[in-house]
Structure formats: structure tokens, C-alpha cells
Amino acid sequence: MPPRARRLLPSLPDRGQLLRFTVVGGVNTATFYACYLPLHRVLPYFAAFTVGFLTAMTCSFFLNTYVTYRTRPTWKKFLLFPLTQVTAYVVQSVGLVVLVSWCGVNSKVAPLAAAVVGIPFTFLVSRRILLPGRRARQSARPRPREPA
């Protein structure tokens, strides 16, 4: 496997993070859907999608800082966190429009299918934002000397 691809994949100790991220993602999806469905009755599907996405993103920030990465939320992280969602938003938005407009998928179900595609991107980018410098500190630790 190329070194660049290896850096993008979670290392073995990060499996717990990935599991917690998946659980948080399930809660986040439920939050989104709980917002989206009622709004879909009174707004066009894309507007309902956007409001639900923004609400779920805010919840996702706090759940990911406390539960997934076990770090403190800060204003800096909160302000950077939407960058983690830009890729997910673009991927999910394109997926939503393609599924509804081109494939004829029901607009109540399409957001769930589109969300699945964005999960890997969101994990990798949110990890970089919410755990800044942690990798650098780990690699900068002095290695124990071997006995002479």
C-alpha cells in the first residue's frame, strides 16, 4: 500500500474512534432526519435538507469532540469544524440531487443513501480538525534508548 494511502487509513489503535464515530454518525443521522422530515412538509426538499444538515452538524461537533475523539471543544475547533462538513455537504448534496432528479428516488429516502457516501470523507477530515497536532506530538516523542 502506498505511504500516502496508509496515512489516510485509521491505524489499529483508532478502531475505537472509528466505532464511536459510527455510533455518533447514527445519532447524527437520526438528528438530521428528525429535522428534515417535518421541514420537508413545509419547505422544498433541498431547503429542508440544508436546515437539517446545519442542525445535525452542530450536534455532530459536540458529540465528536466529547465522544469520538475525547477532546475539549474550543471556539477554534467549532469554527474550523464546518470545513470538515464542506466535503460531506457537497458529496451528499450532489448525491441527493442525482438520486431525486435523475434516478427518481423518493426525496424522503434519498438523503439517507446520500449520507452513506459522505461518511469516510467526514471521518478523515474531522479527525484532522479535532485532533490537531496530536500526531505531531506522538511522532516527536523521544524514543527510548536501547541498553548499551
Side-chain angles (χ1 to χ4, degrees):
M1 181 178 300
R4 185 162 202 260
R6 213 173 328 187
R7 278 193 313 249
L8 294 175
L9 294 175
S11 59
L12 288 178
D14 298 324
R15 286 186 180 173
Q17 278 181 359
L18 189 54
L19 178 61
R20 291 188 304 269
F21 182 82
T22 302
V23 171
V24 165
V27 171
N28 191 46
T29 300
T31 301
F32 161 77
Y33 214 51
C35 293
Y36 175 77
L37 284 179
L39 290 172
H40 184 266
R41 294 182 186 144
V42 295
L43 296 173
Y45 75 90
F46 198 79
F49 172 80
T50 301
V51 172
F53 188 92
L54 292 173
T55 303
M57 181 179 65
T58 303
C59 294
S60 178
F61 169 75
F62 289 105
L63 287 173
N64 276 303
T65 54
Y66 286 119
V67 177
T68 303
Y69 302 110
R70 297 179 177 166
T71 186
R72 269 182 0 119
T74 64
W75 280 107
K76 180 180 178 182
K77 290 176 188 175
F78 183 75
L79 294 173
L80 289 174
F81 192 73
L83 295 176
T84 69
Q85 302 293 305
V86 168
T87 301
Y89 182 79
V90 169
V91 169
Q92 291 179 30
S93 297
V94 169
L96 177 69
V97 171
V98 166
L99 288 170
V100 171
S101 299
W102 296 359
C103 300
V105 175
N106 184 310
S107 63
K108 292 180 180 173
V109 177
L112 296 175
V116 170
V117 177
I119 290 171
F121 300 103
T122 307
F123 175 75
L124 294 172
V125 177
S126 68
R127 186 170 177 219
R128 296 220 179 213
I129 294 290
L130 296 177
L131 293 177
R134 186 169 281 187
R135 284 188 182 163
R137 285 193 304 271
Q138 287 175 346
S139 63
R141 286 184 190 153
R143 294 187 179 165
R145 294 183 186 191
E146 294 185 22

